[in-house]
Amino acid sequence: MDGPNNCPSPKLHTRLRLWEFADRYVFEPVDRLADLLLSVSRVNGSMNLIEELPQRGPSTSPKVQLVFGVIGVLKLAVGTYLVVITDRDCVGSYLGHAVFKVIGLRVLPCNSSLSASAEQKNVDTEFSELLDAAERTIGLYFSYDSNLTVISQRLHELGDEFNSLPLWRQAEPRFLWNGYLLEPLIENKLHQYLLPVVQGSFQSIHTEVRSEKVNVTLIARRCTRRIGTRMWRRGADLEGYAANFVESEQIMQSKGFTASYVQVRGSMPFLWEQIVDLTYKPNFDVVRVEEAPCVLERHFHDLQKKYGAVVAVDLVNTHGGEGCLYERYAKSIEPILNEDIRFVHFDFHKICGHIHFERLSQLYDQIEDYLKKHKYFLLSDKCEKIE
């Protein structure tokens, strides 16, 4: 990587004209941020910048399409594929910058030179089906100007020098959904095409409270480690990374002040699994029980390092299969409990059921002292930290 400097990072391209020639794809910036065009070989995926479009003869009629960013390059055994954003929707703003949701994706093959065997073609067909599914991936968000992968408190603490870096260098790897896909673009130093993407959810609400305008932003970032579908991916790995870990941040802005509150969720952080079968609720199985305390300790020490004090709220039932998980969780976490790591069990289904959400006040009573002690992140109208 290049060392830090005082030069501002180049702005990312927001609109590109995609030309599909027989031997290459060419991306022509239409946002007037650069004069050079990006050429990508349809033979092997190699990239280079060019000064003008290739010559077009009378019989040459390339397809042309407007795209809104390059998500990256996917290198597989069967070939190389380029992933681009074909449609977007502005869903609000994050810390003053527009945020977009990916509405359309397109996968462009760059392997026209491959002379595949029948077996390879079968594999290619299977991969193509997976790529078709990738085009339908939901919950992808990005910003051309703001780092969506890092909470606002962390951005403030890192300072102006960090915030002047290109967005891909600012990105938190845990929440950079297209980190692997960006590697070929990074190697080619295509900085204006390096668009970080997060997977999760984003909502922006504008309302009034006692005649005062209030902006509320809710952003959830899904971790890229140990992801998977429900039931198929459970527990934590040996390093303590919990399955389907999500960081959620609520930001409120009013009168120039900005307040941020962060919470995280994930699967119970020890080694367990759920064997999927034809039953409505497959059984749980705790594996390698003796390693549960060590795995759980790694998980919580990592949380402490990143977020500070932690209160773990367990919402599962106290009976049946979930009851066994609760008992293992409570027993494994006991040795590391202290002022900065607390454990609270709240049988959500028994207490609240399907309709009595007002009973969540009982949970609040159990953690009220923690919330008042650790509070939230608050910036003044002069961008100075208050608490």
Side-chain angles (χ1 to χ4, degrees), residues 11 21 25 49 55 90 110 114 126 132 139 153 163 202 210 214 310 319 337 343 361 376:
K11 286 187 171 292
F21 292 93
Y25 302 107
L49 295 174
Q55 293 293 324
C90 185
C110 305
L114 292 181
E126 293 179 9
D132 289 341
Q153 179 174 352
N163 291 325
F202 183 93
R210 296 178 182 175
V214 178
V310 178
H319 62 274
L337 295 179
F343 176 78
S361 60
Y376 47 86

Side-chain angles (χ1 to χ4, degrees), residues 111-341:
N111 52 8
S112 60
S113 69
L114 292 181
S115 53
S117 63
E119 183 179 357
Q120 287 174 319
K121 289 181 178 178
N122 289 334
V123 173
D124 189 37
T125 300
E126 293 179 9
F127 273 118
S128 296
E129 293 174 355
L130 292 175
L131 292 173
D132 289 341
E135 289 184 352
R136 298 189 296 274
T137 300
I138 62 174
L140 299 181
Y141 298 86
F142 66 93
S143 172
Y144 298 110
D145 304 292
S146 185
N147 183 359
L148 299 184
T149 67
V150 178
I151 59 176
S152 52
Q153 179 174 352
R154 180 70 174 152
L155 283 175
H156 176 77
E157 293 171 347
L158 290 170
D160 293 337
E161 184 176 340
F162 175 83
N163 291 325
S164 67
L165 294 173
L167 288 181
W168 69 269
R169 292 190 52 184
Q170 297 181 33
E172 163 61 66
R174 292 182 301 151
F175 304 118
L176 183 59
W177 181 81
N178 59 331
Y180 170 73
L181 302 179
L182 288 179
E183 289 180 3
L185 299 173
I186 294 173
E187 292 171 2
N188 285 277
K189 298 182 179 180
L190 298 169
H191 299 298
Q192 290 184 281
Y193 295 87
L194 291 164
L195 181 63
V197 175
V198 299
Q199 185 181 32
S201 65
F202 183 93
Q203 287 182 291
S204 185
I205 304 166
H206 303 279
T207 186
E208 286 190 4
V209 178
R210 296 178 182 175
S211 301
E212 294 292 344
K213 292 183 178 180
V214 178
N215 296 332
V216 181
T217 299
L218 299 173
I219 179 170
R221 309 170 178 95
R222 189 183 187 194
C223 185
T224 58
R225 295 167 179 164
R226 196 164 173 74
I227 60 175
T229 56
R230 187 171 178 268
M231 296 187 185
W232 288 99
R233 183 69 75 182
R234 296 292 201 184
D237 59 22
L238 288 172
E239 295 179 341
Y241 294 119
N244 292 313
F245 183 88
V246 176
E247 174 188 85
S248 299
E249 181 178 16
Q250 174 184 285
I251 301 171
M252 296 185 66
Q253 295 172 298
S254 183
K255 297 181 180 179
F257 289 77
T258 299
S260 166
Y261 186 79
V262 175
Q263 65 180 38
V264 299
R265 58 90 51 207
S267 190
M268 288 185 179
F270 51 90
L271 305 176
W272 64 279
E273 58 189 23
Q274 194 169 19
I275 308 301
V276 180
D277 52 27
L278 296 178
T279 60
Y280 175 72
K281 199 170 185 180
N283 293 327
F284 305 106
D285 186 19
V286 179
V287 297
R288 298 164 74 170
V289 176
E290 70 283 355
E291 297 194 52
C294 292
V295 171
L296 193 140
E297 183 177 9
R298 292 187 192 107
H299 175 78
F300 277 95
H301 283 177
D302 182 61
L303 290 184
Q304 269 193 296
K305 182 179 177 181
K306 291 181 171 67
Y307 302 103
V310 178
V311 57
V313 180
D314 178 15
L315 301 175
V316 302
N317 302 332
T318 55
H319 62 274
E322 288 190 4
C324 295
L325 293 178
Y326 154 64
E327 292 174 2
R328 173 53 50 194
Y329 197 178
K331 183 176 181 179
S332 299
I333 198 175
E334 187 174 357
I336 64 171
L337 295 179
N338 54 49
E339 287 189 1
D340 292 329
I341 299 180

